[in-house]
Each structure stands twice: as structure tokens, then as C-alpha cells.
Amino acid sequence: MVIGRGGAGKTTVALQLGRELGLPVVHLDRLYWGPGWQPVDPELFLERQAAAIAADAWVIDGGYLASGGWDARVERADVVVLVEAPLTVCLRRILRRSLSRSGGRRPDLPDGCDESFSLFFLRWTIGWSRRNKEALARIERILPVLRVASGRPHDQLRGPRRRRRP
């Protein structure tokens, strides 16, 4: 499971893990959202999750820590990758992608959910750590957590590197 606040690099990390491990990547945004950014019926979301995690192996991109089905995902996961980046980096990435792709679609989003600027999403991102503190603590008691902490999280997965001199 790859989790973290918006703009931290979850999708980048999940796609890289999927490639390197030869596993399908499940984007929870595709399961949760319907056209026009309308959430699907909670029962449909649970059905979609159940089908996705019934497979033998997968990489799941997205937290949805307060959603139904969270416990089932945690129970089936082997490890949680917590992608962390400074809030300023996350907000800059969100602003950049929402402005540069405005009206366009990211591959991790369902049809009818075009990229756009959203104050709601910015506020949601700012409060992510505070809102999910208890869930994160519970996860760390249950599963191994690999923390990917970098402004460029995909580099962390390759292991330590020597720093280049300027």
C-alpha cells in the first residue's frame, strides 16, 4: 500500500514499484470517484476494493484512511510505503499539476475527472497528517512501514546514493 498526503509522490512511487515488482497498480482514486468528481456509492467503492485486493499481489496507490474497506486493505497488505515530502513541496506540486494540466486528465484518475485547481483539495492536503495521525499510528503497530522521505520520493526506492559535489 502506498499512502501519503496529496502531492507527496504516491502515484510516482506506486507506478515505479509496480514496474519493478511486475505487479498491477490499483489507483484508489479510480475506484472512489465518478464523473465530475462525484464519489461513487460507498457500497460500490467497497465492491471495487474487494475485487482489487482479492488478487494475489498488487500495489495500491492512495490512502483513503477513513474510508470503508480500509481495514481489509491493511489486512491484505504486506507493507505500507508512506511517502512523505515537506508540505511546501506537496502544495507546489499540486499547484503546478493543476495549473499545467487544467482540463486534462491524469492516468490515475477516472474518466470525467479532469485536473483542476481546488481550494478544497489544498485544505485537505494541509490537514492530512493531523487528520490521519491515529490511523497512521495504528498502521505502524500492525505492518512494517517503509518511509520514503524526500522531495523526489522515487529516488529513495533505488537505495542510498553518494551525493554529488556541486
Side-chain angles (χ1 to χ4, degrees), residues 6-7 10-11 27 29-30 33 37 61 93-94 97-98 101 103-111 113-116 121:
K10 294 181 304 296
T11 301
H27 302 285
D29 281 343
R30 288 183 148 277
W33 296 107
W37 292 102
D61 164 27
R93 288 176 178 167
I94 291 168
R97 78 181 183 210
S98 66
R101 297 181 186 161
R105 203 170 78 68
R106 295 191 338 241
D108 57 310
L109 297 177
D111 292 334
C113 291
D114 293 339
E115 187 73 54
S116 62
F121 186 61

Side-chain angles (χ1 to χ4, degrees), residues 17-37:
L17 282 171
R19 258 190 325 274
E20 291 182 11
L21 298 173
L23 298 175
V25 177
V26 176
H27 302 285
L28 288 179
D29 281 343
R30 288 183 148 277
L31 307 182
Y32 184 82
W33 296 107
W37 292 102

Side-chain angles (χ1 to χ4, degrees), residues 6-146:
K10 294 181 304 296
T11 301
T12 300
V13 170
L15 290 171
Q16 182 175 354
L17 282 171
R19 258 190 325 274
E20 291 182 11
L21 298 173
L23 298 175
V25 177
V26 176
H27 302 285
L28 288 179
D29 281 343
R30 288 183 148 277
L31 307 182
Y32 184 82
W33 296 107
W37 292 102
Q38 294 301 309
V40 299
D41 180 78
E43 290 301 315
L44 178 57
F45 183 54
L46 287 174
E47 288 172 23
R48 289 174 172 179
Q49 286 180 87
I53 66 173
D56 288 335
W58 35 258
V59 175
I60 287 190
D61 164 27
Y64 290 84
L65 302 175
S67 71
W70 169 246
D71 290 332
R73 290 193 310 267
V74 170
E75 197 172 290
R76 294 272 299 136
D78 294 320
V79 67
V80 172
V81 177
L82 176 58
V83 182
E84 299 174 309
L87 179 58
T88 54
V89 171
C90 295
L91 294 175
R92 186 174 56 245
R93 288 176 178 167
I94 291 168
L95 288 171
R96 184 177 41 217
R97 78 181 183 210
S98 66
L99 297 175
S100 68
R101 297 181 186 161
S102 185
R105 203 170 78 68
R106 295 191 338 241
D108 57 310
L109 297 177
D111 292 334
C113 291
D114 293 339
E115 187 73 54
S116 62
F117 178 78
S118 167
L119 283 175
F120 172 82
F121 186 61
L122 289 178
R123 283 193 300 272
W124 180 88
T125 299
I126 291 168
W128 189 87
S129 293
R130 178 182 35 77
R131 208 175 37 255
N132 294 298
K133 190 175 191 171
E134 287 180 31
L136 292 170
R138 194 174 98 232
I139 292 166
E140 291 193 88
R141 287 192 300 270
I142 298 170
L143 286 170
V145 175
L146 170 63

